[in-house]
């Protein structure tokens, strides 16, 4: 068996755009690049502080790609996103490098006809209103997974 480790890239568009959230989960900040996911829409969800994405023609979702994600880290992200999301392969445009296309993974809302989805989720508003509480929840989640404690 070879010692190579499979590396993944993951397009993130909600709370995982915040370095502090990623650091709590992965105990590091991976390399990132700004990216856009075409033909998807980022919804707010009633009663939740995080967003959902679903396919939507002629719309797009801005976010970023996390690079160099290991199998273990991908499993951590899978656990964090839980069963409400399905990990799917998508093609994004890297906005830092003249719209280079990249095949990557992302988390799509599993309930396609969810009546609780509405409007458009806003990252800056989330940072102001919800990030502090979300970091507390994320820290507790990370501790339950017995991840190494990160220095914040």
């Amino acid at each position: 068996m070879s010692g190579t480790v499979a590396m993944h890239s993951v397009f993130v568009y909600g709370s995982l755009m915040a370095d502090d959230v990623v650091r709590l989960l992965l105990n590091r900040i991976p390399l990132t690049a700004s990216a856009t996911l075409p033909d998807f829409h980022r919804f707010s969800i009633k009663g939740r502080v995080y967003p959902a994405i679903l396919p939507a023609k002629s719309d797009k979702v801005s976010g970023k790609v996390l690079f160099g994600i290991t199998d273990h880290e991908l499993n951590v992200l899978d656990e964090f996103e839980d069963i409400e999301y399905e990990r799917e392969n998508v093609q994004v445009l890297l906005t830092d490098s003249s719209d280079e296309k990249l095949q990557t993974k992302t988390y799509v809302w599993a309930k396609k006809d969810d009546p609780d989805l509405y409007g458009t989720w806003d990252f800056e508003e989330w940072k102001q209103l919800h990030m502090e509480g979300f970091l507390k929840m994320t820290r507790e989640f990370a501790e339950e997974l017995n991840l190494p404690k990160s220095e914040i």
Side-chain angles (χ1 to χ4, degrees), residues 10-69:
V10 179
F11 175 75
V12 296
Y13 53 84
S15 62
L16 290 171
M17 289 196 296
D19 285 349
D20 288 345
V21 174
V22 173
R23 185 185 298 115
L24 281 170
L25 292 172
L26 305 185
N27 213 36
R28 69 184 185 96
I29 305 294
L31 284 174
T32 65
S34 298
T36 301
L37 175 62
D39 296 321
F40 275 81
H41 181 78
R42 176 173 37 211
F43 293 93
S44 293
I45 312 168
K46 284 180 193 161
R48 318 283 178 95
V49 300
Y50 48 83
I53 61 169
L54 283 173
K57 284 287 176 222
S58 68
D59 203 346
K60 63 184 181 186
V61 173
S62 59
K64 65 184 184 180
V65 175
L66 308 179
F67 291 102
I69 301 300

Side-chain angles (χ1 to χ4, degrees), residues 9-148:
S9 61
V10 179
F11 175 75
V12 296
Y13 53 84
S15 62
L16 290 171
M17 289 196 296
D19 285 349
D20 288 345
V21 174
V22 173
R23 185 185 298 115
L24 281 170
L25 292 172
L26 305 185
N27 213 36
R28 69 184 185 96
I29 305 294
L31 284 174
T32 65
S34 298
T36 301
L37 175 62
D39 296 321
F40 275 81
H41 181 78
R42 176 173 37 211
F43 293 93
S44 293
I45 312 168
K46 284 180 193 161
R48 318 283 178 95
V49 300
Y50 48 83
I53 61 169
L54 283 173
K57 284 287 176 222
S58 68
D59 203 346
K60 63 184 181 186
V61 173
S62 59
K64 65 184 184 180
V65 175
L66 308 179
F67 291 102
I69 301 300
T70 65
D71 287 342
H72 171 72
E73 289 171 334
L74 192 62
N75 288 336
V76 169
L77 295 176
D78 286 349
E79 287 290 320
F80 185 68
E81 297 296 355
D82 206 18
I83 59 170
E84 293 179 317
Y85 295 88
E86 295 171 344
R87 179 166 24 99
E88 295 185 8
N89 293 314
V90 294
Q91 183 171 271
V92 298
L93 302 174
L94 297 178
T95 51
D96 293 347
S97 58
S98 66
D99 286 345
E100 177 190 339
K101 292 177 180 173
L102 174 74
Q103 285 292 126
T104 187
K105 297 167 174 43
T106 196
Y107 293 93
V108 177
W109 195 244
K111 195 173 174 186
K112 306 292 185 241
D113 54 356
D114 192 334
D116 289 340
L117 301 184
Y118 70 96
T120 302
W121 187 86
D122 183 82
F123 181 61
E124 295 304 320
E125 180 181 291
W126 174 85
K127 281 202 299 192
Q128 291 178 354
L129 300 179
H130 303 294
M131 184 163 155
E132 192 175 333
F134 197 86
L135 285 171
K136 182 176 185 292
M137 182 277 296
T138 303
R139 187 176 292 111
E140 290 164 359
F141 172 87
E143 287 169 359
E144 284 177 24
L145 277 186
N146 292 322
L147 298 176

